[in-house]
């Protein structure tokens, strides 16, 4: 009863306060007792709650007043410095590949293909169908939608030679993008303070995930033909690392693809050393001159942990990827995923599966291959013609990027700045090196802007290099 | 040229091998030289690649043979034991709340509302609209879609009393579900090996995320009226913890709501101790008898890190939530999110924002409140009538669950097993305790199954308790 009166008085006073100017004086407690037919105790209780809520302030002996808005004060979060301590990993800034830029600039910095390279109609139709399905209102199992697990398993199994037991749907964990998969693998399979062998240069997102997991990076040089297997072997031996992260197919940024002999040698090395190969097959659907050859398809002893995403080939909005792992490693990764995110939206999974299950998907991939080839060649020709000082020694057989070496002594950051001032956005190669860069590089994405602008882009790069070379 | 011949020979032989039985002998190298008009070197090269790919095996002096499929062997991943070492955290099994069960069983174990409590039409329409928008094919900014950040900021600001500077859109980070937010907060703000004060009992998913982050849990007893602030103060002082995780509003599992005096006292304590309150406002949209009162709305010094999700009230498939944090804590959490997942699908963000921006959303919430009230009261009445030994001392003012104490000496796991054998699925309370349970409890979700089955559910529970009490 008294609770109800208190609630009623508070509601009335809140309305009164909302309409009153700051500093206005509230009716006296005596007036409120009379107005509401309530006891003084009830009125005092209501008033205490309004004070506690910060709506009014009491000046003893004078009255109760609507609180004035404090003048906007500079926020002081200094106390957090002591609560937080120094960061666990160095605070990594976001990559320049994720910047938003002026809409009229030529953007060759992004890590994603332009939307006109995506299967737009299939994506929109798949989402619309998923909106009508049970996937729009239900929860997905922790490991993912069984049919999508099946699809990923089948894709890898199709590349398995005779004699190798291919992965099954159970070995597949659906994740929300390969970045999440790498984070979980580095946390669950490598662990904080432990060494991880990586290529140099390599994908900056993998380095970011590894650093955030507290993993120590052990770089080995790599390039158009992958690393020297002996280097990898020595790095594993020297550091005791139990894992090697790599992109054997159309690596980002170099575009390199490992020869089959290198893949075999690396597989033998990780077997001998009791180690994992973490194979990031990021460009599986972005082949041009060669087909992807997942190493995971040739391993059935659980040595290869395989990551494949649909984000770049289906749609960045259908953020779905998979980790394929066997044995206890799968359990560790699953436990980390469950703790991290419980499950991936079934809507995204259903729509992505719909897209890749349509006959039009194969047609799309063939068209994409032609598109990528045309754009790659056009940018390559443009750079060779208009920016001959930018040396591209490998024509990538797949992926999205050219990796151009600038003349010795050039500062890539300065090239990037000056190019931006002239309307061209590119990425300095330094971001892909775990340590000091082996030379001055820039990365040029040939899939992220209108190819008709490539000659202009190359001209700008040429001008900047000429200017800096003077 | 030679590369082309090799590729052609390999392609032909692959087709031949695919059609041949295991053990079949390949044509001799001499025959292949003749057949393909290629050099012996080229044929040998092709053969080496087929061997390396595991498709054929060479028996020197005899010939080359299609490899026989290895007899299915039991996989041996024993080598991983040494590569992985002992797990960082104890390997937490999935909660029983996530189990799938026989479709004819009565399921009161889930943590989610049944789909007939969701705004189904609005969700389907919103997804369909998003499918036609640019959100279907583009990438979201790392911090989230600005309009959705704005919406979350406004929701919290609307509860801010005069004199408190409300949060702005910039303080909001969009995340893919509150589990991801808790994981990042525990990693970035608390850190491995550091203590975290929590309520006991509390949400098992938070404990799972904390354990996976390597955080040490420091429990304080809590219940229908939250914890005793003095307990929290002592726990912070004794352990030096800089953070307290809590669900002040309709806590899971107890349904408790902190009185405003408790909230104020806790806010003062974290201020005095230079600590964070991690406020998990999971049931903001699941109010019944009382309105949510986010403590974060009354803090503008960055002491409260606020998590709010739309997963349970909009749709489990629109996995979107927010973290609101200020100062360096925001930067730490953002860095962790970027490393963990880069960005959240813009499709999910656009659809979720669409749902909560419709006028129908307020109508839906009012209807949901009525529905939850009816179901809560029906289950409560049913349990009191048919399972009087299950004692429910608090009628929850919101949320999805009843928290029932069983007679002393009862084994909740056994009750769960016997109930399941009779077609009722419930969750043993032990999962919500960070240490030994303070008593035998079960949690009963009144939102996850057809309320017409509640009397039957209560009868089963009553029979099981009678049976065990004999």
């Amino acid at each position: 009863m008294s609770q109800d009166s208190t609630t009623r008085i508070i509601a009335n006073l809140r309305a009164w306060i909302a309409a009153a100017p700051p500093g206005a004086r509230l009716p006296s407690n005596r007036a409120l007792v009379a107005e509401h037919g309530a006891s003084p105790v009830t009125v005092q209780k209501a008033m205490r709650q309004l004070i506690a809520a910060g709506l009014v302030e009491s000046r003893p002996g004078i009255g109760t007043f609507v609180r004035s808005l404090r003048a906007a004060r500079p926020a002081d979060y200094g106390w957090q410095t002591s609560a937080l301590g120094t960061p666990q990993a160095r605070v990594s800034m976001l990559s320049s590949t994720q910047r938003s830029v002026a809409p009229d600039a030529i953007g060759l910095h992004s890590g994603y293909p332009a939307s006109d390279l995506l299967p737009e109609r299939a994506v929109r139709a798949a989402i619309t169908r998923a909106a009508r399905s049970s996937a729009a209102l239900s929860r997905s199992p922790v490991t993912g939608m069984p049919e999508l697990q099946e699809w990923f398993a089948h894709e890898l199994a199709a590349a398995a030679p005779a004699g190798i037991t291919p992965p099954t749907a159970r070995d597949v964990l659906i994740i929300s993008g390969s970045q999440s998969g790498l984070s979980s693998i580095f946390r669950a399979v490598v662990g904080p303070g432990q060494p991880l062998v990586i290529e140099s240069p390599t994908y900056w997102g993998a380095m970011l995930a590894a650093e955030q997991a507290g993993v120590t990076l052990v770089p080995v040089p790599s390039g158009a033909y992958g690393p020297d297997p002996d280097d990898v072997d020595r790095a594993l031996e020297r550091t005791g690392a139990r894992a090697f992260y790599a992109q054997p197919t159309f690596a980002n940024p170099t575009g390199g693809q490992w020869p089959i002999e290198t893949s075999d040698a690396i597989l033998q090395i990780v077997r001998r050393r009791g180690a994992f190969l973490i194979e990031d097959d990021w460009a599986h659907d972005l082949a041009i001159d060669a087909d992807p050859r997942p190493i995971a398809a040739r391993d059935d002893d659980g040595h290869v942990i395989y990551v494949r995403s649909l984000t770049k080939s289906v749609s960045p909005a259908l953020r779905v990827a998979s980790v394929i792992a066997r044995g206890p490693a799968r359990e560790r990764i699953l436990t980390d995923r469950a703790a991290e995110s419980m499950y991936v939206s079934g809507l995204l999974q259903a729509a992505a599966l719909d897209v890749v299950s349509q006959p039009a998907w194969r047609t799309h991939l063939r068209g994409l291959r032609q598109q990528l080839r045309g754009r790659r060649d056009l940018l390559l020709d443009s750079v060779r013609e208009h920016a001959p000082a930018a040396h591209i020694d490998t024509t990538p057989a797949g992926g999205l990027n050219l990796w151009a070496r600038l003349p010795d002594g050039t500062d890539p950051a300065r090239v990037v700045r000056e190019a931006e001032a002239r309307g061209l956005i590119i990425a300095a190669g330094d971001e892909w090196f775990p340590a000091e860069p082996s030379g001055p590089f820039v990365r040029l994405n040939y899939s992220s802007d209108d190819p008709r602008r490539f000659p202009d882009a190359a001209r700008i790069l040429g001008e900047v290099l000429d200017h800096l070379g003077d």
Side-chain angles (χ1 to χ4, degrees), chain A residues 149 153 165-173 306 323-327 330:
Chain A
Q149 292 178 284
T165 311
T168 66
R170 192 192 168 276
D171 302 321
V172 178
L173 306 177
Y306 179 75
V323 170
I324 303 187
R326 311 201 204 184
R330 172 194 178 273

Side-chain angles (χ1 to χ4, degrees), chain A residues 37-249:
Chain A
S39 74
V41 172
T42 303
V43 168
Q44 276 160 26
K45 199 167 156 194
M47 211 52 92
R48 272 203 308 277
Q49 291 202 17
L50 291 170
I51 292 167
L55 289 173
V56 298
E57 51 194 333
S58 166
R59 298 185 204 146
I62 303 175
T64 308
F65 298 83
V66 176
R67 267 185 80 171
S68 15
L69 278 163
R70 267 189 265 174
R73 57 175 180 122
D76 180 8
Y77 306 122
W79 69 270
Q80 290 190 358
T81 304
S82 133
L84 291 170
T86 51
Q88 196 192 341
R90 79 179 156 86
V91 177
S92 306
M93 298 312 295
L94 288 175
S95 163
S96 66
T97 62
Q98 299 198 303
R99 279 189 312 154
S100 304
V101 297
D104 54 336
I106 307 175
L108 305 186
H109 63 295
S110 161
Y112 288 78
S115 57
D116 63 320
L117 292 176
L118 301 174
E120 177 178 338
R121 280 177 50 190
V123 167
R124 295 194 194 279
I127 298 169
T128 305
R129 273 190 289 270
R132 292 194 294 261
S133 78
S134 64
L137 290 148
S138 58
R139 205 154 43 90
S140 158
V142 178
T143 48
M145 193 178 143
E147 299 84 350
L148 186 60
Q149 292 178 284
E150 186 68 52
W151 183 85
F152 276 113
H154 180 80
E155 285 273 304
L156 187 55
I164 293 290
T165 311
T168 66
R170 192 192 168 276
D171 302 321
V172 178
L173 306 177
I174 304 297
I175 52 178
S176 55
S178 56
Q179 189 70 19
S180 298
L182 296 180
S183 293
S184 281
I185 294 166
F186 295 154
R187 282 194 295 261
V189 173
V190 183
Q194 297 300 310
L196 171 69
V197 178
I198 53 163
E199 296 170 286
S200 174
T202 195
Y203 172 48
W204 63 264
M207 291 190 281
L208 179 64
E211 276 169 25
Q212 194 69 16
V215 161
T216 306
L217 298 179
V218 181
V220 295
S222 190
Y225 304 98
D228 180 335
D230 291 342
D231 282 350
V232 175
D233 195 33
R234 274 192 298 269
L236 290 169
E237 182 182 28
R238 180 170 53 79
T239 63
R242 295 306 186 97
F244 172 35
Y245 165 82
Q247 295 188 331
T249 304

Side-chain angles (χ1 to χ4, degrees), chain A residues 165-375:
Chain A
T165 311
T168 66
R170 192 192 168 276
D171 302 321
V172 178
L173 306 177
I174 304 297
I175 52 178
S176 55
S178 56
Q179 189 70 19
S180 298
L182 296 180
S183 293
S184 281
I185 294 166
F186 295 154
R187 282 194 295 261
V189 173
V190 183
Q194 297 300 310
L196 171 69
V197 178
I198 53 163
E199 296 170 286
S200 174
T202 195
Y203 172 48
W204 63 264
M207 291 190 281
L208 179 64
E211 276 169 25
Q212 194 69 16
V215 161
T216 306
L217 298 179
V218 181
V220 295
S222 190
Y225 304 98
D228 180 335
D230 291 342
D231 282 350
V232 175
D233 195 33
R234 274 192 298 269
L236 290 169
E237 182 182 28
R238 180 170 53 79
T239 63
R242 295 306 186 97
F244 172 35
Y245 165 82
Q247 295 188 331
T249 304
F250 319 138
N252 175 1
T254 63
Q257 184 178 27
W258 297 4
I260 202 149
E261 296 76 20
T262 300
S263 298
D264 284 338
I266 299 282
L267 197 48
Q268 280 165 27
I269 288 166
V270 294
R271 282 183 179 142
R272 199 172 61 240
R273 298 247 171 244
F276 293 98
L277 170 64
I278 301 165
E279 181 182 20
D280 181 357
D281 198 13
W282 77 284
H284 190 94
D285 298 327
L286 308 172
I288 301 177
D289 297 330
D291 288 318
R293 297 184 295 261
I295 301 175
R298 304 218 305 285
D299 162 60
D300 54 7
D301 292 311
H303 281 280
V304 184
I305 299 174
Y306 179 75
V307 181
R308 182 175 166 198
S309 172
L310 295 175
T311 305
K312 286 187 164 125
S313 52
V314 174
S315 163
L318 296 186
R319 200 142 175 62
V320 164
S322 65
V323 170
I324 303 187
R326 311 201 204 184
R330 172 194 178 273
E331 311 308 315
R332 292 276 174 102
I333 298 166
L334 173 59
T335 300
D336 189 83
R337 283 324 300 162
E340 166 61 38
S341 70
M342 299 269 186
Y343 66 92
V344 176
S345 163
L347 176 74
L348 302 183
Q349 297 185 63
L353 177 63
D354 184 334
V355 172
V356 298
S357 304
Q358 302 290 331
W361 173 243
R362 295 285 151 202
T363 317
H364 169 75
L365 286 183
R366 279 194 299 274
L368 178 61
R369 186 181 276 239
Q370 290 310 112
Q371 286 281 344
L372 289 176
R373 178 179 288 124
R375 292 182 190 215

